[in-house]
Amino acid sequence: MPAITPDWDSEAVQRGFPSQTGGPLGGWKFSNFKDGVFAEFFHVNSADSNLAHLPDDMSLEAGIMLPDMLSTGFAGAEKARIDIGATVAIIGIGPVGLASIAGATLRGAGRIFAVGTRPVAVKVAREYGATDIINYREGDTAEQIIRATGGTGVDAVIVAGGGPDILMDAVRMAKPGSMISNVNYFGEGMGDEEILPIPRIGWGFGMADKDIATVLCPGGRVRMERLADVVTYGRMDPSLMATHVFRGFDRLEEALLLMKEKPRDLIKPVVLLD
Amino acid sequence: MPAITPDWDSEAVQRGFPSQTGGPLGGWKFSNFKDGVFAEFFHVNSADSNLAHLPDDMSLEAGIMLPDMLSTGFAGAEKARIDIGATVAIIGIGPVGLASIAGATLRGAGRIFAVGTRPVAVKVAREYGATDIINYREGDTAEQIIRATGGTGVDAVIVAGGGPDILMDAVRMAKPGSMISNVNYFGEGMGDEEILPIPRIGWGFGMADKDIATVLCPGGRVRMERLADVVTYGRMDPSLMATHVFRGFDRLEEALLLMKEKPRDLIKPVVLLD
Amino acid sequence: MPAITPDWDSEAVQRGFPSQTGGPLGGWKFSNFKDGVFAEFFHVNSADSNLAHLPDDMSLEAGIMLPDMLSTGFAGAEKARIDIGATVAIIGIGPVGLASIAGATLRGAGRIFAVGTRPVAVKVAREYGATDIINYREGDTAEQIIRATGGTGVDAVIVAGGGPDILMDAVRMAKPGSMISNVNYFGEGMGDEEILPIPRIGWGFGMADKDIATVLCPGGRVRMERLADVVTYGRMDPSLMATHVFRGFDRLEEALLLMKEKPRDLIKPVVLLD
Amino acid sequence: MPAITPDWDSEAVQRGFPSQTGGPLGGWKFSNFKDGVFAEFFHVNSADSNLAHLPDDMSLEAGIMLPDMLSTGFAGAEKARIDIGATVAIIGIGPVGLASIAGATLRGAGRIFAVGTRPVAVKVAREYGATDIINYREGDTAEQIIRATGGTGVDAVIVAGGGPDILMDAVRMAKPGSMISNVNYFGEGMGDEEILPIPRIGWGFGMADKDIATVLCPGGRVRMERLADVVTYGRMDPSLMATHVFRGFDRLEEALLLMKEKPRDLIKPVVLLD
């Protein structure tokens, strides 16, 4: 079951944006305005079009990553307009960032910079295809990446983490003629006016062909089946992100608290029900 | 002769971004770092690839609009991903904004909102295909357009004018699942940090599929020839924008001062040499 | 009501091909496998997603062209990857061909060749934007067009008519680096093997970047509403194609026979019910 | 040095088709109309834009695959419009076919069918990502693939081998709503008329949204550098295709004869000069 469950009879589907059915972010029903996230039984809208079978030989730890982490992270890579051999930077190595790294690899990126520090995540980042790890504690990340690329910057940036001013870095590290693809949820803005800043000069005064794309996690049955095929045919292993596995409904609270505490060895906690 | 004269042997050409040859905005040589803007004779780089013949039957008033106004304005429409029958808003009805309106019409837009007030420009805006004129003095432009579209907003916005915070309006008036295409030169930023703000909520927290594209005026011989065909085959008449026509090299200063003064009846002054 | 009524909960929708729901050409239900084409009342699948309101001020003669002629012809132009100012050839000036000409104009084509002979259709072809009429009785059409373009051929071809070997002409008249977009229904093949031939040399031995696209008329409510906007906002007038207008259910047979007889002054017969 | 060396000041570059500079297949100079294929020193047109440095740590066996095999095979995958997790079939497992398999994997394909029989090539096909091998001796390949996909066919087909009627198979094995991408050089046609046949019914009478793309190997310095990055960063290993390695100019004839004889254990012979 995908995190995003579009109403497939909605007009936004016909415009090509199923995740935006019924209004902005309207396909994102569960955890927003539809009940059932932590229930044993719940109602799914457009069930035939949204639910997919879990393949017999797929582990639950892998399967649970498909609906949100993989679909979001891969979408970040898909919208980043990555040509084979292109140089890509991914900001953030939480689960979505890691899936974006895997997604960039799946689109044929050559060199991949990953911005992050936590050792457990860095290890998976490398498994998923990152070739250079950038530590933001060692200086301005945009400058580090520009220096590492001989002054040119990267062909594509995927923003999968960061605060309200993260686009300042993302736009600067991108080449003239490039794509910045955002899958970061901006939970707060900068200042009272609720703004997200773009750098005037880094953006080439609005004329450097640095496009900025956004996307909400694609849902639907076909998406889920295709992501399942990615795993089934061994293109990548999402279970590497399941660092903490719990069993049983009563462990839910424990797992959730873990996401709040964010211990150093956590990527994603998973609760399995038998 | 196009305003932008790329070096066609540059790597940016091979990446698909000729206007960014040799660095950000690098194809924009004249009026930036190459002499000859106001000279009788001057050197043009990659002349075979950049110069095009003026068709015999094209007026000079029309021809002079092709290299910059038409190429920039049309590019704004081209990057706006306009489907046939889509609803489009153009912010600004200076010469580039007017060319963007014509460009939106040439891409098959249905309803076209134009944001501006000057009567002489409003008249040409309607000639070029604008169906609704929005006066920013009558209230928040985004709210006016959202109201006029029954609460949905537009499929595409072309930003062809406005101050450092104009993206705040542009993003808000766009539908979830839409494109904001910028051809505005941001000559100054907001505040000391040189930023251009995007609205956090209007942008759907970064997840409403509202992409933001930028483009620098495409140059080159093929572009000029194609724009010439647009005029030759009667698709639109760029000479409507030449409101003030001067003859002779010695009228240059007069024409330039007019651009600074911006009288109410000016769209674009033109100086013709015989 | 569109000619094509996709099941919007089908997997082909999620893949981006609503017209192919449930199998090849599966969205094309009426006149194929769903009853009701000539009935007063009939059942429409996914009615909320497929039916659109006829705008109050639209004539019936115009409105009846939207569901099939306009949607198909425009789709031919949309898939032809037409850049502003590009040179386009349309083969066939029946109603779909005429709509393709209008579609090419709506995508910003410069010069437009139309291949056909019937005076009544030639007149509308010119109204819709054709700049050059090619008469296939005056010699090989591909050669005529190549000669008229100084030996280069066209950027895009829309095939909207012709027999089983029409792709032979279409591919040859296209430039290296071009698009051939087919909206022709091939009712019969060449020879016993049911083949449609492409020219080996004209296609550059399979290496001349001459892509061949096909498309089935897009359906759905949003498509209909957008096409209605094209008419409402005066971008083109589809009623020019309604050369023969009948009133009343009992004139149906007469109108149908007209389509079989194809008199010289016919483009499309229309039967209106009050 | 790429196999294709476009003239970067040509008009076809500005239209977006560098491989077609100066006429169909015009970027393909060496082995066609420019001398130097087997010379020790030779002239390269647009050398700054076409030549790239061989990275220090790249083997010659790997490097020699970039200019033609990899660039062509990857282009086949790039034009096949492969979504992450899509199902793809590649016809032919010669060196270009194998590179197409690697290319499909680099674009994120899920399941990959490869049509071919020679054991040495089958082994590399699996290394490059093929999940199912189809033997054309065991029955109609299209039928085998349709059966293996539960009757639906594949999302994309890359044609990298086969005789003049190979598109008959390719089109039939593709889903309604799919892409057939051709990188096969058609050295001869079917019958006296030099035709390449498409199946009328399998192509959905021209209306099943089965597009057919063609492409000539992309050249240029940037392309070469990006392919080099693919190898440098370990995305795939092209040297697996160099089954027969010769050293010294005088072994040239021997290597060429091998390509004519096609022994069962040959993929590609390579001649290295020190």
Side-chain angles (χ1 to χ4, degrees):
Chain A
M1 184 199 143
I4 307 301
T5 52
D7 296 316
W8 290 95
D9 57 354
S10 162
E11 63 88 29
V13 168
Q14 299 189 28
R15 289 192 291 115
F17 298 98
S19 294
Q20 311 292 341
T21 49
L25 287 59
W28 185 5
K29 296 177 190 302
F30 294 98
S31 52
N32 275 348
F33 48 83
K34 199 163 161 62
D35 291 331
V37 174
F38 298 129
E40 276 180 277
F41 298 96
F42 52 93
H43 173 265
V44 177
N45 59 303
S46 299
D48 283 346
S49 298
N50 281 323
L51 298 180
H53 285 283
L54 186 75
D56 288 338
D57 53 354
M58 187 179 295
S59 76
L60 293 174
E61 288 86 342
I64 194 58
M65 296 298 170
L66 272 53
D68 193 353
M69 301 303 104
L70 249 56
S71 190
T72 300
F74 287 6
E78 288 165 311
K79 289 213 65 165
R81 215 170 45 196
I82 298 170
D83 290 319
I84 288 184
T87 299
V88 180
I90 288 98
I91 301 179
I93 54 174
V96 168
L98 291 172
S100 293
I101 294 169
T105 302
L106 285 170
R107 297 308 282 167
R111 191 175 188 182
I112 297 180
F113 292 90
V115 179
T117 57
R118 292 195 310 150
V120 62
V122 164
K123 188 159 172 290
V124 177
R126 289 198 184 275
E127 293 266 359
Y128 284 173
T131 58
D132 298 74
I133 307 295
I134 300 294
N135 186 334
Y136 51 77
R137 292 191 189 121
E138 293 175 7
D140 181 287
T141 57
E143 276 172 30
Q144 287 186 65
I145 286 172
I146 289 167
R147 200 162 46 230
T149 53
T152 64
V154 296
D155 294 298
V157 181
I158 306 174
V159 181
D165 61 350
I166 193 66
L167 294 174
M168 296 294 285
D169 287 342
V171 169
R172 282 165 52 228
M173 69 179 66
K175 254 180 224 185
S178 58
M179 178 63 96
I180 294 97
S181 173
N182 181 68
V183 284
N184 195 28
Y185 180 88
F186 287 98
E188 53 186 40
M190 199 183 77
D192 295 339
E193 292 183 69
E194 290 281 24
I195 63 169
L196 306 171
I198 299 177
R200 185 181 78 94
I201 294 166
W203 205 40
F205 321 104
M207 297 202 153
D209 282 297
K210 297 186 181 187
D211 295 353
I212 303 172
T214 75
V215 64
L216 173 63
C217 174
R221 179 165 60 88
V222 170
R223 177 69 168 182
M224 290 304 107
E225 290 172 347
R226 288 186 168 177
L227 298 184
D229 273 2
V230 167
V231 177
T232 298
Y233 294 106
R235 307 309 180 188
M236 59 88 66
D237 177 6
S239 69
L240 299 181
M241 295 191 282
T243 50
H244 295 64
V245 180
F246 299 87
R247 291 183 182 274
F249 222 90
D250 54 342
R251 306 292 298 278
L252 248 170
E253 192 174 348
E254 199 177 338
L256 280 171
L257 285 173
L258 212 55
M259 289 181 73
K260 202 175 160 192
E261 291 162 12
K262 291 188 184 166
R264 293 275 297 168
D265 65 342
L266 175 79
I267 296 179
K268 196 82 183 176
V270 166
V271 181
L272 305 181
L273 311 181
D274 297 310
Chain B
M1 183 198 144
I4 308 301
T5 52
D7 297 316
W8 290 95
D9 57 355
S10 162
E11 64 88 27
V13 169
Q14 299 188 29
R15 288 191 291 116
F17 298 98
S19 294
Q20 311 293 341
T21 49
L25 286 59
W28 186 3
K29 297 177 188 303
F30 295 98
S31 49
N32 275 348
F33 50 83
K34 197 162 163 63
D35 291 332
V37 175
F38 298 128
E40 277 180 278
F41 298 95
F42 52 95
H43 173 266
V44 177
N45 59 303
S46 299
D48 283 346
S49 298
N50 281 323
L51 298 180
H53 285 282
L54 185 75
D56 287 339
D57 54 354
M58 187 178 296
S59 75
L60 293 175
E61 288 87 342
I64 193 59
M65 297 297 170
L66 272 52
D68 193 353
M69 302 301 105
L70 250 56
S71 190
T72 300
F74 287 6
E78 289 166 311
K79 288 213 67 167
R81 212 170 46 196
I82 298 170
D83 290 319
I84 288 184
T87 299
V88 180
I90 288 99
I91 301 179
I93 54 173
V96 167
L98 291 172
S100 293
I101 294 169
T105 302
L106 285 170
R107 295 310 280 166
R111 191 176 188 182
I112 298 180
F113 293 89
V115 180
T117 57
R118 292 194 312 150
V120 62
V122 164
K123 189 159 171 292
V124 177
R126 289 198 184 275
E127 293 266 358
Y128 284 174
T131 58
D132 298 74
I133 307 295
I134 300 294
N135 186 334
Y136 50 78
R137 293 189 189 122
E138 294 176 6
D140 181 287
T141 56
E143 276 172 30
Q144 287 185 66
I145 287 172
I146 288 167
R147 201 161 45 230
T149 53
T152 65
V154 296
D155 293 299
V157 181
I158 306 174
V159 181
D165 60 351
I166 194 66
L167 294 174
M168 296 293 285
D169 286 342
V171 169
R172 282 165 53 228
M173 70 180 66
K175 252 180 227 185
S178 58
M179 177 63 96
I180 295 97
S181 172
N182 181 68
V183 285
N184 195 28
Y185 180 88
F186 287 98
E188 53 186 39
M190 200 183 77
D192 295 341
E193 292 184 66
E194 290 281 22
I195 63 169
L196 306 172
I198 300 177
R200 184 180 78 94
I201 294 166
W203 206 39
F205 321 104
M207 297 203 152
D209 282 297
K210 297 186 181 187
D211 295 353
I212 302 172
T214 75
V215 64
L216 175 62
C217 175
R221 179 165 60 89
V222 170
R223 176 71 169 182
M224 290 304 107
E225 290 172 349
R226 287 187 168 176
L227 298 183
D229 273 2
V230 167
V231 178
T232 298
Y233 293 106
R235 308 307 180 190
M236 59 87 67
D237 177 5
S239 70
L240 300 182
M241 295 191 282
T243 50
H244 294 66
V245 180
F246 300 87
R247 292 184 180 275
F249 221 91
D250 54 342
R251 308 291 298 278
L252 247 170
E253 192 173 349
E254 198 175 340
L256 280 170
L257 285 173
L258 212 55
M259 288 181 74
K260 203 174 160 193
E261 292 161 14
K262 292 188 183 166
R264 293 276 296 169
D265 65 342
L266 175 79
I267 296 179
K268 197 81 184 177
V270 166
V271 181
L272 306 180
L273 310 181
D274 298 310
Chain C
M1 182 197 145
I4 307 301
T5 52
D7 297 315
W8 290 95
D9 56 355
S10 162
E11 63 88 28
V13 169
Q14 299 189 28
R15 288 191 291 116
F17 298 98
S19 294
Q20 310 292 341
T21 48
L25 285 59
W28 185 5
K29 296 177 190 303
F30 294 99
S31 51
N32 275 348
F33 49 82
K34 198 163 161 63
D35 291 330
V37 174
F38 298 127
E40 277 181 278
F41 298 96
F42 51 94
H43 173 267
V44 177
N45 59 303
S46 298
D48 283 346
S49 297
N50 281 322
L51 298 179
H53 285 283
L54 184 76
D56 287 338
D57 55 354
M58 187 179 296
S59 75
L60 293 174
E61 287 87 343
I64 193 60
M65 296 297 170
L66 272 54
D68 194 353
M69 301 302 103
L70 250 56
S71 190
T72 300
F74 287 5
E78 289 165 310
K79 289 212 66 164
R81 214 170 45 194
I82 298 170
D83 290 320
I84 288 184
T87 299
V88 180
I90 288 98
I91 301 179
I93 55 174
V96 168
L98 291 171
S100 294
I101 293 169
T105 302
L106 286 171
R107 297 307 283 166
R111 191 176 187 182
I112 297 180
F113 292 90
V115 180
T117 57
R118 293 196 309 151
V120 62
V122 164
K123 189 160 172 290
V124 177
R126 289 199 184 275
E127 293 267 359
Y128 284 174
T131 58
D132 297 74
I133 307 295
I134 300 294
N135 186 333
Y136 51 78
R137 294 190 187 121
E138 294 176 6
D140 180 287
T141 57
E143 276 172 30
Q144 288 186 65
I145 286 172
I146 289 167
R147 201 162 45 232
T149 54
T152 64
V154 296
D155 293 299
V157 181
I158 305 174
V159 181
D165 60 350
I166 194 67
L167 294 173
M168 296 293 286
D169 287 343
V171 169
R172 282 164 54 228
M173 70 179 67
K175 252 179 226 185
S178 59
M179 178 62 96
I180 294 97
S181 172
N182 181 67
V183 285
N184 195 28
Y185 180 88
F186 287 99
E188 53 185 40
M190 199 183 78
D192 296 340
E193 293 185 66
E194 290 281 23
I195 64 168
L196 305 171
I198 301 177
R200 184 180 78 94
I201 294 166
W203 205 39
F205 321 104
M207 297 201 153
D209 282 296
K210 296 187 182 186
D211 295 353
I212 302 172
T214 75
V215 63
L216 174 63
C217 174
R221 179 166 59 89
V222 170
R223 177 70 168 181
M224 290 305 108
E225 290 172 348
R226 287 186 170 178
L227 297 184
D229 274 3
V230 167
V231 178
T232 298
Y233 294 107
R235 308 308 181 188
M236 59 87 67
D237 177 5
S239 70
L240 300 182
M241 294 191 282
T243 51
H244 295 65
V245 180
F246 300 87
R247 290 182 183 275
F249 222 90
D250 53 343
R251 307 292 298 279
L252 248 170
E253 192 174 348
E254 199 176 339
L256 280 171
L257 285 173
L258 212 56
M259 288 181 74
K260 203 175 160 192
E261 291 161 14
K262 292 189 183 164
R264 293 277 296 170
D265 64 342
L266 175 80
I267 295 179
K268 196 81 183 177
V270 166
V271 181
L272 305 181
L273 311 181
D274 297 310
Chain D
M1 184 199 145
I4 307 301
T5 52
D7 297 316
W8 291 94
D9 57 354
S10 162
E11 65 90 30
V13 168
Q14 300 188 27
R15 288 191 291 115
F17 299 97
S19 293
Q20 311 292 341
T21 49
L25 287 59
W28 185 4
K29 296 177 190 301
F30 294 99
S31 53
N32 275 349
F33 49 81
K34 199 164 162 63
D35 291 331
V37 175
F38 298 127
E40 277 181 280
F41 298 96
F42 52 93
H43 173 265
V44 177
N45 59 303
S46 298
D48 284 345
S49 298
N50 281 322
L51 298 180
H53 286 282
L54 185 75
D56 288 338
D57 53 355
M58 188 179 295
S59 75
L60 293 175
E61 287 87 342
I64 193 58
M65 297 297 170
L66 272 53
D68 193 352
M69 301 302 103
L70 250 57
S71 190
T72 300
F74 287 5
E78 289 165 310
K79 288 212 65 164
R81 213 169 46 195
I82 298 171
D83 290 320
I84 288 183
T87 299
V88 180
I90 288 98
I91 301 178
I93 53 175
V96 168
L98 291 171
S100 293
I101 294 169
T105 302
L106 285 170
R107 296 309 282 167
R111 190 176 187 182
I112 297 180
F113 293 90
V115 180
T117 57
R118 292 195 310 151
V120 62
V122 164
K123 189 158 172 289
V124 177
R126 289 198 185 275
E127 293 266 359
Y128 284 174
T131 57
D132 298 75
I133 306 295
I134 300 294
N135 187 333
Y136 50 78
R137 293 189 189 123
E138 295 176 5
D140 181 287
T141 56
E143 276 172 30
Q144 288 186 65
I145 287 173
I146 288 168
R147 202 162 44 231
T149 53
T152 65
V154 297
D155 294 299
V157 181
I158 306 175
V159 181
D165 60 352
I166 194 66
L167 293 174
M168 295 294 285
D169 287 342
V171 169
R172 281 164 55 228
M173 70 180 66
K175 253 179 225 186
S178 59
M179 178 63 97
I180 295 97
S181 173
N182 181 68
V183 285
N184 194 28
Y185 180 89
F186 287 98
E188 52 185 41
M190 200 183 77
D192 295 340
E193 292 184 67
E194 290 281 23
I195 63 168
L196 306 171
I198 300 177
R200 185 181 77 94
I201 294 166
W203 205 39
F205 320 104
M207 297 202 153
D209 282 296
K210 297 187 181 186
D211 295 354
I212 303 172
T214 76
V215 63
L216 174 62
C217 174
R221 178 166 60 89
V222 169
R223 177 69 169 182
M224 290 303 108
E225 290 171 348
R226 287 186 169 179
L227 298 184
D229 274 2
V230 167
V231 178
T232 298
Y233 293 106
R235 308 308 181 189
M236 59 87 68
D237 176 6
S239 71
L240 300 182
M241 295 191 282
T243 50
H244 294 65
V245 180
F246 300 86
R247 291 184 181 275
F249 222 90
D250 53 343
R251 307 292 298 279
L252 247 171
E253 193 175 348
E254 198 177 341
L256 281 171
L257 285 173
L258 213 56
M259 288 181 74
K260 203 174 160 193
E261 291 162 14
K262 292 188 183 164
R264 294 275 298 168
D265 64 342
L266 175 80
I267 295 179
K268 196 80 183 178
V270 166
V271 181
L272 306 180
L273 311 180
D274 297 310

